[in-house]
Amino acid sequence: MASSVRKPGTCLNCPLYIASRSYCLKLKTAVQDPYNPPCRFGEPIAYQAPVPNTVTQHAPQQAVAGTPVAQPVYPQAPPQQSAEGEPYYDPAMYAEDVSLSSHGLMTQRLDLLAPTGVPGLDEILAGGFLRGKTYLVAGEAGCGKTIFSIQFLIHGALRGEPGLYIAIDEPTNQLLRGLKLFGWDLGDLVSSRKLMFLDMRTHFSKIYMREERKHIEPRYIIEQILNAAKRISAKRLVIDPIAPLVYGGREEDVLYAREFLREMVFAIEKTGELTTIMTSEIPTGSTKLSRFGVEEFLASGIIVLGIEEIYGNVERVMYIRKARWAPVKPSKYIFDIVSGKGIVIREPLSEYIKRISRGTK
């Protein structure tokens, strides 16, 4: 019978342990002491470094009838050390029910996630966005939706994941010029086909001017997007913003637009290749997350960017409203937009409010 005694081990460097939040993805609980994993049976065993063996070697003992021969004690090799001096994760230290390989979690967790490239956000989301899924980045004008989207594409391109940007509201040349002033010169990434900018603004303006064409053919738009993505073997896609892509400006077209969006999102996700961000502009003062009220239901995650006045200070706030299959509750964070870097999360909004209310900077 297999023994139920657990081998000593630590949470450090375990793929299911989020050190920044002291959180166990396996048990979905906070970890009070990473050297005493909550996944073990019985009483916690504090981690102790192996004690060097001081046994003096003697000549082999001769066996005496009826007397057992003492066995020599060999020194134990110390555990491997990481660059930070912490023991590496050893799957053998954990019991069968926590075996990552048996549940297919050790390699799959990170393989299924696309890091956003936003400092702090990937730690909060336990890795990033689900690959092949669609995410909605919503917010009022000037809150950083385009910066967020481009940052996501740049990070992917530098990791060998080409990205496609569908420009709707702004001509590509103006967008690239603005990004260069911001500190992001994307010329090399574009010329090496790591990034592609597809300018559909002129095409749609012509369609909307034709009275006989009240709707845009969804199949045509989907083919345009997928064909462009295929040309550069894209893994990431941004549609910025989503509303003009499917909407002719008439209230009676809302139901049509919702069906259009469903068909488009399903077709893109069916490929299993494109991790997609679609942005949505929220009117100032509105509580809506999107133009048509269906985008948030189609998306696997929703991130709302906003500007709030807090104790007289005007700050940018990121609201993680929805993150499917990620161990994160709805939460708000203060963030900055830094030239040449993009969006950088500073701290949780709750911590910021506590600090400001105490009068500290």
Side-chain angles (χ1 to χ4, degrees), residues 298-328:
L298 296 173
S300 293
I302 302 173
I303 294 178
V304 182
L305 306 180
I307 298 177
E308 296 184 16
E309 183 177 347
I310 306 168
Y311 288 102
N313 298 325
V314 178
E315 298 286 357
R316 300 181 187 273
V317 177
M318 177 184 296
Y319 176 22
I320 303 176
R321 183 184 176 96
K322 174 183 177 181
R324 188 171 293 166
W325 307 123
V328 56

Side-chain angles (χ1 to χ4, degrees), residues 6-159:
R6 305 298 175 124
K7 297 181 180 181
T10 76
C11 295
L12 301 176
N13 290 318
C14 171
L16 295 185
Y17 175 62
I18 307 301
S20 62
R21 295 190 289 118
S22 299
Y23 189 86
C24 176
L25 295 177
K26 169 70 178 179
L27 302 180
K28 295 181 173 57
T29 184
V31 177
Q32 300 298 326
D33 181 4
Y35 288 102
N36 290 291
C39 57
R40 297 184 309 188
F41 291 139
E43 295 296 324
I45 303 176
Y47 173 79
Q48 296 180 351
V51 179
N53 180 36
T54 57
V55 176
T56 304
Q57 299 296 327
H58 299 283
Q61 296 179 343
Q62 299 295 326
V64 179
T67 303
V69 178
Q71 299 298 321
V73 179
Y74 299 99
Q76 297 180 350
Q80 285 184 300
Q81 299 294 312
S82 68
E84 295 76 22
E86 298 175 345
Y88 281 113
Y89 168 73
D90 179 8
M93 288 180 168
Y94 292 84
E96 293 78 5
D97 64 328
V98 194
S99 173
L100 301 177
S101 58
S102 64
H103 292 287
L105 296 177
M106 180 181 294
T107 58
Q108 289 184 16
R109 176 67 190 174
L110 294 180
D111 289 344
L112 292 176
L113 297 174
T116 65
V118 176
L121 180 58
D122 291 327
E123 289 78 7
I124 296 169
L125 297 177
F129 290 162
L130 291 171
R131 292 190 183 277
K133 295 300 182 180
T134 302
Y135 287 78
L136 178 67
V137 177
E140 300 176 7
C143 289
K145 299 185 296 298
T146 297
I147 293 294
F148 185 105
S149 302
I150 298 294
Q151 190 169 345
F152 172 74
L153 291 182
I154 293 175
H155 187 70
L158 296 177
R159 292 168 53 90

Side-chain angles (χ1 to χ4, degrees), residues 67-314:
T67 303
V69 178
Q71 299 298 321
V73 179
Y74 299 99
Q76 297 180 350
Q80 285 184 300
Q81 299 294 312
S82 68
E84 295 76 22
E86 298 175 345
Y88 281 113
Y89 168 73
D90 179 8
M93 288 180 168
Y94 292 84
E96 293 78 5
D97 64 328
V98 194
S99 173
L100 301 177
S101 58
S102 64
H103 292 287
L105 296 177
M106 180 181 294
T107 58
Q108 289 184 16
R109 176 67 190 174
L110 294 180
D111 289 344
L112 292 176
L113 297 174
T116 65
V118 176
L121 180 58
D122 291 327
E123 289 78 7
I124 296 169
L125 297 177
F129 290 162
L130 291 171
R131 292 190 183 277
K133 295 300 182 180
T134 302
Y135 287 78
L136 178 67
V137 177
E140 300 176 7
C143 289
K145 299 185 296 298
T146 297
I147 293 294
F148 185 105
S149 302
I150 298 294
Q151 190 169 345
F152 172 74
L153 291 182
I154 293 175
H155 187 70
L158 296 177
R159 292 168 53 90
E161 300 176 11
L164 172 63
Y165 182 92
I166 306 296
I168 308 297
D169 277 352
E170 186 176 6
T172 298
N173 59 342
Q174 293 184 18
L175 176 64
L176 293 176
R177 189 181 304 119
L179 291 173
K180 189 172 184 179
L181 292 174
F182 182 73
W184 286 341
D185 189 345
L186 306 183
D188 290 341
L189 291 177
V190 172
S191 60
S192 62
R193 298 175 68 84
K194 296 295 181 60
L195 288 180
M196 175 185 285
F197 289 80
L198 185 61
D199 192 345
M200 305 186 82
R201 181 172 175 270
T202 303
H203 172 74
F204 288 116
S205 64
K206 290 180 180 179
I207 288 181
Y208 289 142
M209 290 173 64
R210 299 175 186 173
E211 291 297 330
E212 67 274 12
R213 288 289 301 276
K214 292 185 173 60
H215 299 311
I216 304 172
E217 178 58 42
R219 186 175 303 175
Y220 173 78
I221 301 302
I222 294 169
E223 287 178 357
Q224 289 283 93
I225 293 174
L226 296 183
N227 287 340
K230 189 178 297 184
R231 288 201 296 272
I232 62 169
S233 300
K235 300 298 181 183
R236 301 188 179 205
L237 169 67
V238 167
I239 304 175
D240 180 29
I242 189 65
L245 185 65
V246 298
Y247 190 37
R250 294 153 54 95
E251 289 298 328
E252 55 266 34
D253 290 340
V254 171
L255 292 178
Y256 160 80
R258 289 176 177 173
E259 293 305 314
F260 189 159
L261 276 170
R262 286 192 182 94
E263 185 175 345
M264 184 176 64
V265 170
F266 292 161
I268 292 173
E269 291 191 350
K270 187 177 180 180
T271 68
E273 296 290 331
L274 292 167
T275 307
T276 304
I277 287 179
M278 52 184 183
T279 70
S280 175
E281 186 168 321
I282 301 175
T284 302
S286 173
T287 58
K288 296 176 61 176
L289 295 178
S290 61
R291 178 74 64 87
F292 309 113
V294 69
E295 296 93 317
E296 54 263 44
F297 297 103
L298 296 173
S300 293
I302 302 173
I303 294 178
V304 182
L305 306 180
I307 298 177
E308 296 184 16
E309 183 177 347
I310 306 168
Y311 288 102
N313 298 325
V314 178

